[in-house]
Amino acid sequence: MKILDAELIASAPNIGMLPESGLPEVAFLGRSNVGKSSLLNGLTRRKKLARTSSTPGKTRDLVLFKVRTDWGEIGLVDLPGYGWAKVSRSERAGWQRMAEDYLARREALCLAFVLQDVRRNWSEDESLLLEWLAEQDVPGRVVITKTDKLKLMKRKEAVKRLRKEIGDGFGKPIVTSSEKGDGLDVVWKTCFENAYPQRLKKTNAASAETHEPLSAPWPEDD
Ligand code: GDP
């Protein structure tokens, strides 16, 4: 897949101030430092599109990017990281309200990724988040990040353990390394499957008429 263009559309402190992108949107959620900005930069192949934790002035806004690819256009939304040890209870409540408003009310939202660092344990917070997303009819999918941080055997063990902890209810977690670019194709494919499901149906209907094997306009998962 080719990235033709990626641009920041808006950064807003609440959903009321976030303009409509006119595109299907995919949200990225995760604790601070989980590798969310790096994943967004890796996906868009831009070094500094999303501000990483080390960038001064990283905001706790909702940040909307528009990405043009040869598979179509899509909106990516960076929701502020949660679970900071140092923020006050009221700040945390503010984050929750902002993120929940976006996740529950944004018509354009078609998928939310919940990010999980491969070196950390799965927690109750993330399980509750996935369950809450399901209640809002928002498909949720886990992305395991930073897998290059572990050697092969440790990585396999960690992924297996996380899969077990996450359970079967939310699809197979996607295993990624933004540093190495691993798994980013699967993340993109999942974005487009959710953003343009009708395209998948149309392709399959056309295949049925011509008796061709079913295929998606994007590469199949292995
Ligand atoms: P955010 O707070 O969730 O946006 O996290 P960042 O993207 O800023 O990443 C936090 C830290 O983890 C930074 O020092 C990144 O360089 C590092 N990091 C993020 N993704 C990866 C990865 O795939 N591999 C490695 N080795 N480090 C990563």
Side-chain angles (χ1 to χ4, degrees):
M1 190 193 72
K2 278 203 193 94
I3 308 293
L4 304 174
D5 191 31
E7 61 175 322
L8 173 76
I9 299 284
S11 178
N14 58 54
I15 185 179
M17 292 170 81
L18 193 71
E20 296 292 338
S21 63
L23 295 171
E25 291 173 3
V26 175
F28 291 75
L29 287 149
R31 285 166 192 278
S32 181
N33 218 38
V34 72
K36 188 155 49 72
S37 315
S38 303
L39 180 66
L40 284 160
N41 289 336
L43 286 169
T44 54
R45 300 188 198 127
R46 300 287 188 277
K47 282 209 169 78
K48 290 184 183 161
L49 188 72
R51 288 168 173 233
T52 54
S53 299
S54 52
T55 325
K58 181 174 161 107
T59 63
R60 286 173 186 168
D61 281 359
L62 302 162
V63 185
L64 170 62
F65 303 100
K66 175 176 168 177
V67 186
R68 212 156 55 81
T69 80
D70 59 350
W71 289 355
E73 292 187 344
I74 198 161
L76 302 184
V77 178
D78 184 357
L79 295 182
Y82 56 94
W84 310 285
K86 290 187 197 113
V87 303
S88 66
R89 196 172 286 226
S90 66
E91 264 186 285
R92 217 172 300 168
W95 172 83
Q96 209 162 337
R97 199 169 327 116
M98 182 206 304
E100 283 181 5
D101 271 356
Y102 172 84
L103 293 165
R105 293 174 29 202
R106 188 74 159 182
E107 288 280 328
L109 180 66
C110 63
L111 172 69
F113 286 121
V114 176
L115 275 55
Q116 166 71 35
D117 188 322
V118 72
R119 300 164 302 169
R120 310 245 172 277
N121 290 329
W122 182 249
S123 86
E124 179 76 15
D125 284 354
E126 275 76 20
S127 284
L128 290 171
L129 184 56
L130 283 173
E131 281 164 24
W132 182 83
L133 284 168
E135 281 164 24
Q136 314 304 313
D137 280 331
V138 176
R141 190 83 188 263
V142 178
V143 173
I144 299 176
T145 62
K146 306 194 197 180
T147 52
D148 63 287
K149 292 258 192 193
L150 298 179
K151 294 223 172 84
L152 188 63
M153 286 316 289
K154 289 261 178 224
R155 184 191 314 164
K156 282 190 171 167
E157 268 170 36
V159 169
K160 200 169 156 193
R161 169 181 50 79
L162 282 169
R163 271 197 190 147
K164 212 164 148 194
E165 285 169 358
I166 294 163
D168 297 329
F170 298 95
K172 215 158 112 183
I174 305 174
V175 178
T176 67
S177 157
S178 304
E179 182 85 12
K180 303 266 183 227
D182 297 347
L184 303 188
D185 53 341
V186 185
V187 175
W188 268 130
K189 181 175 164 258
T190 309
C191 287
F192 277 94
E193 279 172 350
N194 284 273
Y196 296 103
Q198 67 282 18
R199 204 189 290 176
L200 190 64
K201 271 191 216 132
K202 228 186 266 171
T203 314
N204 288 348
S207 306
E209 273 172 28
T210 56
H211 306 290
E212 281 171 12
L214 298 185
S215 66
W218 37 80
E220 287 301 317
D221 208 349
D222 48 48

